[in-house]
Amino acid sequence: MQVFLESHNLKNPYSGFGQFNYHLVKAFAELNDPEIRFTLHAKKTEAFKREFGDTFDYRKYHSLTRYPILRIRKKYDLWHSLNQNTKIEPRFEIPYVLTIHDVHFAEGPDSKDKTARIKRFEAKLKRADALVYISKFARKATHQYFETSDKSEHVIYNGNPLLDTTIPENFVVSTVPQKPYLFTIGEFTSRKNFHTLINMLKHLPDFELIIAGNSDRPYTEKIKKTIAENKLENRVHIPGKISETEKKYHLKNCAAFVFPSLKEGFGIPVIEALSYGTAVITSNNTSLPEVGSTYATYWEHYEPKYMAEKVLEAMNRFNNKELVEKSITHANSFSWKNTAEQYLNVYNNILPSL
């Protein structure tokens, strides 16, 4: 079976899409199913050739293939679009799997961009033979806005990318708070809601805060303005993008992981933090309660003093050794190997029926 993985978001390793692409591809490589030959689609294939060798075939991504007349000519047995918003599509009508991460783009006020994204997504739905949602919430939200009743539908959870939680003994972290600290990480966009953490921090005078991620975004200005208004320049740190090892260090050593996101299709950072038995406080919306289960503590709203109280409540809960151990077990139950195996089942179920 020749399967094309539309995986060009491998180029964005710090984004949620990039993480999903990489870890699913890596799991496929480890399974190395002899009945399937994958073609990996990436902008820079050299690094992946070094990592995965001849496990995959490789096709270099070119932006021109977004245009119908220049679409890829090879007729694969199956096309899997790992990225729901991409304009890259097969030239031919072939078996097609679409992974749906979220449909946040269908919400909010009308705009040209919203209309274009909805139109593109509806075209993907029309040609797809199977839809795979990364959470039950993603499925529910899709049903709210789009018609999918004639499609084969599946919920396949993402895996936990931090099953290896070890940190080198001699590792030196770049950001070293002087007090116990809270940690969060993600894209600097308004839906991550990071600025509420700064308003909260004034009610937690014994703590500092690290907000890591791609901070070269317009939303960063709102964060910096909120820091200045609260005179918290000495207690809030914005290191930008950090290494995987540094992320692990902070997940392990922070007093609590705080994640006030307004919209998530899954919420991998919650699982990563629970992998260390770290107290997690996150939002009680979208997919986050589904992923954090009873192990996370949830904010019902974002009033600063209330948020601070919830942080202290969560840290107190995690003084319980049994809860810590159960949270680690819960996090480890999310396996990329299981995720990849479930995708292979979807592939095999589709092909005989077409």
Side-chain angles (χ1 to χ4, degrees), residues 137 193 259-264 270 281-293 296-302 306 310:
F137 169 78
N193 206 25
F259 198 62
S261 180
L262 299 174
K263 299 174 183 178
E264 292 293 326
V270 169
I281 310 91
T282 188
S283 304
N284 190 25
N285 60 40
T286 63
S287 62
L288 293 166
E290 185 179 345
V291 173
S293 188
T297 299
Y298 298 97
W299 287 305
E300 300 286 344
H301 57 81
Y302 304 101
Y306 159 82
K310 280 292 183 180

Side-chain angles (χ1 to χ4, degrees), residues 315-326:
M315 288 190 289
N316 184 58
R317 284 183 66 210
F318 270 67
N319 287 326
N320 183 319
K321 184 178 179 181
E322 182 180 358
L323 179 62
V324 169
E325 291 175 350
K326 286 184 176 180

Side-chain angles (χ1 to χ4, degrees), residues 83-304:
N83 310 293
Q84 64 185 50
N85 296 324
T86 182
K87 296 178 182 178
I88 308 297
E89 298 289 0
R91 177 180 290 267
F92 306 102
E93 289 300 321
I94 58 176
Y96 188 106
V97 176
L98 173 64
T99 295
I100 298 176
H101 301 259
D102 62 64
V103 291
H104 302 325
F105 58 86
E107 302 171 353
D110 292 338
S111 66
K112 287 185 178 180
D113 178 64
K114 176 183 174 181
T115 300
R117 294 181 71 181
I118 288 175
K119 184 178 179 180
R120 186 160 65 246
F121 186 71
E122 287 177 333
K124 284 182 174 293
L125 290 177
K126 184 177 180 180
R127 79 181 305 161
D129 298 292
L131 306 177
V132 179
Y133 304 97
I134 65 170
S135 65
K136 293 176 182 177
F137 169 78
R139 179 179 61 189
K140 179 181 177 182
T142 302
H143 289 174
Q144 182 179 350
Y145 294 100
F146 300 97
E147 175 56 47
T148 66
S149 59
D150 62 336
K151 304 298 180 184
S152 171
E153 296 186 296
H154 312 265
V155 173
I156 301 178
Y157 288 125
N158 294 344
N160 178 2
L162 282 188
L163 293 181
D164 177 10
T165 57
T166 59
I167 302 168
E169 289 184 12
N170 59 348
F171 178 71
V172 178
V173 69
S174 63
T175 302
V176 185
Q178 301 303 305
K179 298 180 178 181
Y181 65 97
L182 311 176
F183 176 61
T184 194
I185 189 169
E187 291 188 84
F188 275 53
T189 59
S190 58
R191 73 181 178 92
K192 294 300 183 183
N193 206 25
F194 289 148
H195 68 280
T196 62
L197 298 175
I198 299 158
N199 291 323
M200 172 195 76
L201 196 65
K202 62 187 178 185
H203 297 284
L204 295 169
D206 297 326
F207 293 88
E208 296 183 26
L209 170 66
I210 296 176
I211 309 175
N214 53 341
S215 55
D216 56 343
R217 299 292 181 88
Y219 178 61
T220 306
E221 293 307 310
K222 181 171 184 175
I223 292 175
K224 290 181 177 179
K225 181 180 178 182
T226 309
I227 292 171
E229 288 172 348
N230 287 282
K231 296 181 172 58
L232 291 172
E233 290 86 350
N234 294 330
R235 289 205 287 134
V236 181
H237 311 275
I238 305 177
K241 295 177 181 178
I242 60 176
S243 69
E244 190 71 9
T245 305
E246 186 154 355
K247 179 180 75 172
K248 288 181 178 182
Y249 178 93
H250 289 311
L251 289 172
K252 180 179 180 179
N253 291 285
C254 66
F257 180 76
V258 285
F259 198 62
S261 180
L262 299 174
K263 299 174 183 178
E264 292 293 326
F266 186 75
I268 281 179
V270 169
I271 294 299
E272 292 180 322
L274 290 174
S275 297
Y276 288 94
T278 295
V280 170
I281 310 91
T282 188
S283 304
N284 190 25
N285 60 40
T286 63
S287 62
L288 293 166
E290 185 179 345
V291 173
S293 188
T294 58
Y295 305 101
T297 299
Y298 298 97
W299 287 305
E300 300 286 344
H301 57 81
Y302 304 101
E303 190 278 320

